[in-house]
Amino acid sequence: MTTLISLLTELSDSYVRAFRHTCTLAAVKLMSSLVAVALSLSGGIENSQKLYQVQKTKTMRQRSPPQPERIQRKITELREKRAEIEIMMDVIFKGIFLKRYRDVLPEIRSICMEELGLWMKLYSSAFLNDSYLKYMGWMMHDKVPDVRLKCVLGLQGLYGAPPLLPKLDLFTTRFKDRMISMTLDKDSEVAVQTMKLLLLVSKASDGALGPGDYKQLLQFVYSSQRPLAVAAGKLLFARCVHLHHLEKEKTKQNVYY
């Protein structure tokens, strides 16, 4: 693995575009595979810890053979393997991703952002933080529509997963204005997917979008682009349902008092 990662790192920095493209693709796919292995190891650690607690309780009650010690050794072994995998991931990220996510070739930038979104969703404990999210926010300003689209689709995967939402608060605050402005994107698909993203953002937090934001976004129900109008219509419907729910709660409280 060390030799392979070194080879990909060197060739991904080549002046030959074909080498850069192929080796960057291979590297980020290798990274995704490592993420899958790390997730499997994390699951093994979690299950072993639960078993350790059960066996420890039995040992205290029945004075049985030292099963917990064997389980503890297994947990230590799994943690060491996961640490080794995470070192490889760090080397790939710093040696390849950080150099290629701003590559002059749009296809390479798209590859990087697509896989980054996957890493953050699958291995959120390691990747879903502001140190990695900032790259997604920065690349929403890319000049090429496909790169912006990959960022938006990646964010949809994050905002669509309720357990991940608490980690997105700062990102929402920092890049909300950019997301709203992308509904005016020259590329119709980027605009539509951004509107769908903002629907997820609005559901994630009541205060994520303000009245002024809704006033700007809901005007798209009149858009001549039907997909964009439909996406805005879903946002309008969700907004009306939310306001109706708040009104009912307010009425209940007034009746109670």
Side-chain angles (χ1 to χ4, degrees):
M1 285 297 293
T2 302
T3 303
L4 176 60
I5 292 173
S6 297
L7 175 64
L8 293 175
T9 301
E10 290 297 325
L11 290 177
S12 67
D13 204 28
S14 171
Y15 288 107
V16 181
R17 290 190 174 195
F19 284 168
R20 278 207 323 278
H21 180 277
T22 302
C23 291
T24 301
L25 176 61
V28 296
K29 291 298 183 181
L30 176 60
M31 178 83 146
S32 296
S33 297
L34 291 174
V35 166
V37 174
L39 278 172
S40 178
L41 291 170
S42 296
I45 292 170
E46 185 177 351
N47 292 334
S48 296
Q49 287 175 333
K50 292 178 181 178
L51 183 60
Y52 174 79
Q53 293 299 328
V54 172
Q55 291 295 333
K56 188 177 180 181
T57 303
K58 288 183 178 179
T59 300
M60 293 174 63
R61 291 177 179 175
Q62 303 173 5
R63 297 181 181 179
S64 58
Q67 286 282 349
E69 284 75 4
R70 286 197 288 270
I71 299 173
Q72 188 62 52
R73 285 196 297 271
K74 181 181 178 182
I75 292 173
T76 301
E77 181 183 349
L78 290 173
R79 284 175 174 169
E80 289 174 353
K81 289 181 178 179
R82 185 176 64 180
E84 187 177 355
I85 293 294
E86 289 180 343
I87 289 172
M88 294 179 190
M89 290 162 53
D90 188 60
V91 170
I92 293 175
F93 188 85
K94 291 179 178 178
I96 298 175
F97 179 91
L98 289 183
K99 294 179 180 178
R100 298 278 68 84
Y101 86 98
R102 299 287 299 269
D103 196 280
V104 295
L105 198 63
E107 290 87 346
I108 294 179
R109 301 200 299 272
S110 293
I111 288 169
C112 289
M113 301 320 298
E114 183 175 15
E115 294 301 311
L116 177 61
L118 182 65
W119 304 336
M120 290 192 292
K121 182 178 180 179
L122 293 180
Y123 201 19
S124 58
S125 60
F127 287 100
L128 190 54
N129 57 62
D130 298 320
S131 297
Y132 295 97
L133 278 167
K134 65 183 180 183
Y135 300 111
M136 197 70 79
W138 292 344
M139 296 308 287
M140 286 196 296
H141 293 272
D142 197 276
K143 295 180 180 180
V144 177
D146 188 61
V147 180
R148 299 195 297 273
L149 181 61
K150 291 296 190 298
C151 294
V152 172
L153 293 176
L155 290 170
Q156 285 181 6
L158 301 178
Y159 280 97
L164 306 181
L165 296 178
K167 296 184 177 182
L168 294 168
D169 291 340
L170 183 58
F171 179 87
T172 303
T173 302
R174 186 176 178 185
F175 292 102
K176 180 190 71 173
D177 291 342
R178 175 54 186 162
M179 287 188 277
I180 292 174
S181 70
M182 287 174 70
T183 56
L184 295 167
D185 201 281
K186 294 180 180 179
D187 186 270
S188 59
E189 184 63 17
V190 173
V192 172
Q193 294 302 328
T194 302
M195 186 64 74
K196 292 180 179 179
L197 170 61
L198 288 167
L199 173 60
L200 294 174
V201 172
S202 68
K203 291 180 178 180
S205 174
D206 294 340
L209 300 177
D213 300 326
Y214 282 110
K215 183 178 180 181
Q216 179 178 344
L217 294 172
L218 297 182
Q219 293 179 7
F220 284 98
V221 295
Y222 303 110
S223 174
S224 58
Q225 300 180 40
R226 181 169 177 78
L228 182 58
V230 169
K234 291 180 179 179
L235 178 62
L236 173 61
F237 176 76
R239 179 63 173 168
C240 289
V241 169
H242 177 67
L243 292 176
H244 178 67
H245 177 72
L246 290 180
E247 190 64 31
K248 286 179 65 177
E249 290 295 323
K250 185 178 180 180
T251 302
K252 288 180 180 179
Q253 290 178 2
N254 289 337
V255 170
Y256 176 77
Y257 288 114

